[in-house]
Amino acid sequence: MIIPDSFFVIGNWKTNPASHPEALVLAKNTLGSPGKGVKVVVCPPSLFFGGVSGALPPTIARGVQNIITEPGTSSFTGGVSASQAVSAGARYVIVGHSSRRAAGETDHDVNLKIRACRENDIIPIVCVGEKARDEKGEYINELKIQIESSFAGFEKQDFEHIIIAYEPLWAIGAAAQREATPTEAQEIRILIEKTIDDMTGNIPLGRITTVYGGSVSTPDEVAAYAAIGMRGVLVGRISLDAKKFNALVVGANNL
Ligand code: PGA
């Protein structure tokens, strides 16, 4: 279960760094002193998971970057299942990241993966985000469909164990135009919470944990997203620079 009012700083290392020794150095340099109410999660590449887990300070939680839709053992070559992730020590998993969606993952797959997480008591960090913003506001429909399909069939209690990451595609990674402004992020946080409230019926305030991801790089941005009700940040590139990532954790500690 997610502790109410906690604030997350989640590092998504993607396919980095280049080698296992470099991953161990990065893990050792990643700060292990989250303050009260702050939760730091690091999601290394699965192949480096064991080593990185051993090198990370115990105050940092571990996550994986993807799971397959089948919850347990299967014949899916190259897959990692929810139960395997849990067994290796992961408490979180990124689900539906735009890289996976670009590789063909559908909202239905995302839905099955969330289900696998719930069955195995691992917290999914479910990414949703529009490809681009248009003046007519079509992106709102795109997002609504993603949210409704990804979370179809879940009940309000499930959202005590789910993190939703708003990650607009135009704000993510090396090709990002810019980060979303707090106002833009707030609009979507409200959309996410309202859509889930409509689906589940009267969900109490604070039960939905929404974080922002996309070009987050400074403690000031962490404070700005927190100020508009985001409950954390999902960080890609900056999580590969331990000093800068640690500064984000300090920023979260100071909220
Ligand atoms: P970024 O990546 O921080 O490098 O933009 C975020 C993400 O894709 O999770």
Side-chain angles (χ1 to χ4, degrees), residues 65-111:
Q65 297 175 14
N66 185 33
I67 47 164
I68 57 169
T69 53
E70 294 84 355
T73 52
S74 75
S75 55
F76 193 100
T77 303
V80 170
S81 70
S83 59
Q84 288 177 323
V86 170
S87 163
R91 295 286 302 118
Y92 299 83
V93 50
I94 298 170
V95 170
H97 190 274
S98 60
S99 343
R100 310 302 316 180
R101 291 181 187 266
E105 184 162 292
T106 63
D107 288 333
H108 181 62
D109 295 328
V110 170
N111 186 282

Side-chain angles (χ1 to χ4, degrees), residues 12 14 97 167 171-173 213-216 234-238:
N12 174 12
K14 305 185 182 178
H97 190 274
E167 291 219 315
I172 295 175
S215 298
V216 175
L234 176 54
V235 184
R237 283 158 293 165
I238 293 295

Side-chain angles (χ1 to χ4, degrees), residues 133 166 168 170-171 178-185 212-215 225:
R133 290 216 166 190
Y166 170 50
W170 48 268
R178 57 175 174 83
E179 71 275 17
T181 65
T183 311
E184 288 167 333
Y212 169 77
S215 298
Y225 293 119

Side-chain angles (χ1 to χ4, degrees), residues 144-162:
K144 245 186 130 189
I145 291 167
Q146 261 179 36
I147 299 161
E148 286 171 349
S149 322
S150 304
F151 296 108
F154 291 99
E155 298 180 359
K156 26 182 179 186
Q157 295 80 349
D158 290 309
F159 290 91
E160 292 171 12
H161 310 268
I162 293 173

